[in-house]
Amino acid sequence: MNLVIIGAQWGDEGKGKIVDYLAEDADTVIRFSGGANAGHTIVHNDITYKLHLVPSGIIYPEKTVYMGTAMVIDLESLFNELDTLEKQGIEWKGRLFISDRAHIVFPSYKQKDIEMEKTRRNPIGTTGRGIGVAYALKSYREGIRIGDIFDKAIYNILRPDEKEYVDKYKDLLEKMVVNLADIMAKEKNKRKLFEGAQGALLDPDIGTYPYVSSGSSSAVGACTGGAIGPLDIDRILGVFKAYNTRVGNGPFPTEFNNETEGELENTIRETGREYGVTTGRPRRIGYLDLVALKYVCAMNSINSLVLTHIDIYDDMKDLKACVAYNINGKETTSFPTSITSLENAKPVFKTFKGWGKKIGDVKEYSHLPAETKNYIEFIEKFTGVSVDIISVGYQRNATMVRKNIWTR
């Protein structure tokens, strides 16, 4: 069985924890896209693991994990990350493998990335890690894949600085590089978890272009990046927070107004630890945008939603969610293509009564306060998708499952 997990907002939804939680029942975990600009935080037994390239399933000692075909890999960042995990007691050797079709991010790409950002018509707030350059060169057919460095003909055309870079890691990589297509074909009957990076609203095709990432962060990316066919996907999970966040530039219709909601923004930022795992930048914060969430569900055939960070609202008297946009005097529930329309969109809110109690220790949905359930059930009705997993804290056990996800 194949499960795909994607972010249903602009990233940072808590995918790392959910992948980690579901990995217990998986045989393998495959991260299918993205690079070192992504960041997942996992808390287990009071130890915090910060992952950027390595699939979240690595925390389970008996699981095999793969870095997929559509990833772009900064080798220095990867082995630094693996060194940190080893110091935290995670043994990765013999368990982590890399698709030979994944592309390499060379050091020179980072400087190009920074230089390009300075001259963009629309600065996007890139992390400057060379991700966009790697994907651009891939499309331009000038990229270098992991497997290429073991091909003498291609290795010989690398520049001296590129050879020097890959030579540092070549011996280690040789034991890790695999033909992912062959492996996925052989493991057809195993339980596989496909982990996305960023969020669907950062996908270059369906997101808020040009303020997007360069790799596919929608469910379709699991096919090419994870080396499976579209009909092999059994379930698609969309992870979303009880509010919205965004890093970098781009439209954000429900973003808090600092003058009127600055205190609420600071409360959520500190309580929810809303700082970038990769950059440390404070995230922009706003109310839950149900218009955008419904759009993402439809565009990705999401059939199970995963709600995280709902416990952030425990002490609030009321909370809001956006149920429509007012654009130039016209109300709509459609998510527009036009960036100008999104930037001019005024959110139409529905207010919900808060529950005024801690829910972090609640283990079953039926035991949640009525107000919490009202909020969740409204989300389900609006999007047409059931909320099957609810996270009420950072630890694995702060998770309630309403439906067996590993069923077709």
Side-chain angles (χ1 to χ4, degrees):
M1 182 172 181
N2 296 324
L3 293 186
V4 174
I5 298 183
I6 63 167
Q9 294 165 318
W10 280 290
D12 309 308
E13 302 95 347
K15 295 183 296 300
K17 177 201 163 168
I18 301 306
V19 172
D20 175 64
Y21 181 82
L22 293 174
E24 182 175 12
D25 296 317
D27 295 307
T28 56
V29 179
I30 304 97
R31 176 163 161 198
F32 60 82
S33 68
N37 57 337
H40 291 164
T41 300
I42 297 169
V43 180
H44 181 58
N45 291 335
D46 294 323
I47 300 174
T48 299
Y49 303 95
K50 294 188 176 183
L51 305 176
H52 303 276
L53 283 162
V54 178
S56 300
I58 197 71
I59 307 304
Y60 281 95
E62 72 280 11
K63 304 298 178 183
T64 302
V65 300
Y66 296 93
M67 298 174 68
T69 296
M71 287 191 69
V72 290
I73 300 171
D74 178 333
L75 299 177
E76 182 179 12
S77 295
L78 171 62
F79 286 103
N80 284 342
E81 186 173 322
L82 291 173
D83 184 54
T84 299
L85 285 172
E86 203 159 14
K87 289 174 181 174
Q88 291 182 294
I90 303 297
E91 180 51 59
W92 58 269
K93 290 174 183 170
R95 296 199 300 122
L96 172 66
F97 299 95
I98 304 171
S99 169
D100 55 6
R101 292 177 169 91
H103 279 244
I104 297 173
V105 177
F106 286 96
S108 60
Y109 295 3
K110 298 176 186 179
Q111 187 56 41
K112 286 181 184 176
D113 204 354
I114 293 168
E115 290 169 1
M116 286 175 64
E117 179 71 2
K118 292 176 183 176
T119 58
R120 286 184 191 276
R121 298 180 222 188
N122 299 302
I124 60 174
T126 176
T127 58
R129 281 168 168 74
I131 308 302
V133 174
Y135 277 116
L137 290 173
K138 175 182 176 179
S139 296
Y140 198 57
R141 292 157 294 179
E142 281 286 332
I144 299 296
R145 301 176 299 176
I146 293 285
D148 292 338
I149 65 175
F150 299 100
D151 182 325
K152 285 185 179 179
I154 298 178
Y155 175 82
N156 286 338
I157 64 172
L158 295 180
R159 296 196 310 264
D161 61 305
E162 292 173 332
K163 288 180 181 176
E164 183 181 356
Y165 179 67
V166 299
D167 285 348
K168 296 178 194 174
Y169 310 105
K170 210 170 178 182
D171 288 344
L172 278 170
L173 283 171
E174 194 165 15
K175 302 169 187 174
M176 301 165 67
V177 176
V178 297
N179 185 324
L180 188 60
D182 281 352
I183 289 171
M184 292 298 102
K186 291 172 185 174
E187 298 187 351
K188 208 167 183 67
N189 296 320
K190 288 191 175 182
R191 285 185 168 187
K192 300 188 287 295
L193 195 56
F194 294 84
E195 171 187 354
Q198 283 93 32
L201 290 173
L202 291 175
D203 183 271
D205 291 306
I206 68 171
T208 51
Y209 187 90
Y211 303 100
V212 292
S213 187
S214 299
S216 176
S217 49
S218 60
V220 70
C223 297
T224 51
I228 58 171
L231 296 181
D232 291 328
I233 296 175
D234 295 292
R235 184 176 295 280
I236 300 170
L237 284 72
V239 184
F240 74 105
K241 282 189 288 207
Y243 50 92
N244 274 56
T245 62
R246 179 162 198 164
V247 173
N249 302 333
F252 190 172
T254 64
E255 186 170 15
F256 290 148
N257 182 315
N258 198 46
E259 292 182 7
T260 57
E261 294 152 327
E263 186 177 339
L264 177 58
E265 180 178 38
N266 288 333
T267 298
I268 290 179
R269 178 171 291 124
E270 297 307 318
T271 308
R273 307 180 195 179
E274 294 298 349
Y275 295 90
V277 177
T278 301
T279 63
R281 288 185 292 184
R283 295 172 183 144
R284 299 159 64 190
I285 301 173
Y287 292 112
L288 176 62
D289 188 335
L290 289 175
V291 176
L293 182 61
K294 184 176 182 179
Y295 164 76
V296 168
C297 288
M299 292 298 291
N300 290 275
S301 298
I302 290 172
N303 42 22
S304 282
L305 282 169
V306 180
L307 172 59
T308 66
H309 289 244
I310 192 169
D311 52 303
I312 299 301
Y313 286 136
D314 284 353
D315 297 324
M316 297 184 188
K317 292 181 180 179
D318 55 45
L319 52 148
K320 296 179 182 179
C322 172
V323 295
Y325 299 147
N326 188 309
I327 302 174
N328 299 324
K330 293 183 180 180
E331 195 168 298
T332 180
T333 55
S334 295
F335 190 78
T337 301
S338 167
I339 293 301
T340 302
S341 294
L342 275 172
E343 288 173 339
N344 291 332
K346 305 296 181 187
V348 178
F349 289 117
K350 178 177 174 62
T351 301
F352 299 83
K353 185 181 178 183
W355 38 94
K357 61 178 70 174
K358 302 293 182 186
I359 61 172
D361 293 328
V362 177
K363 302 300 180 186
E364 296 181 23
Y365 181 77
S366 60
H367 296 164
L368 285 170
E371 295 83 358
T372 315
K373 289 188 282 188
N374 287 341
Y375 182 62
I376 294 169
E377 287 161 16
F378 183 86
I379 294 170
E380 293 180 315
K381 185 177 180 181
F382 191 96
T383 61
V385 182
S386 59
V387 177
D388 293 330
I389 299 177
I390 301 163
S391 170
V392 292
Y394 293 98
Q395 295 283 359
R396 275 183 194 161
N397 60 6
T399 311
M400 57 188 81
V401 179
R402 301 173 66 195
K403 178 179 183 178
N404 184 356
I405 299 300
W406 290 102
T407 57
R408 288 183 171 85

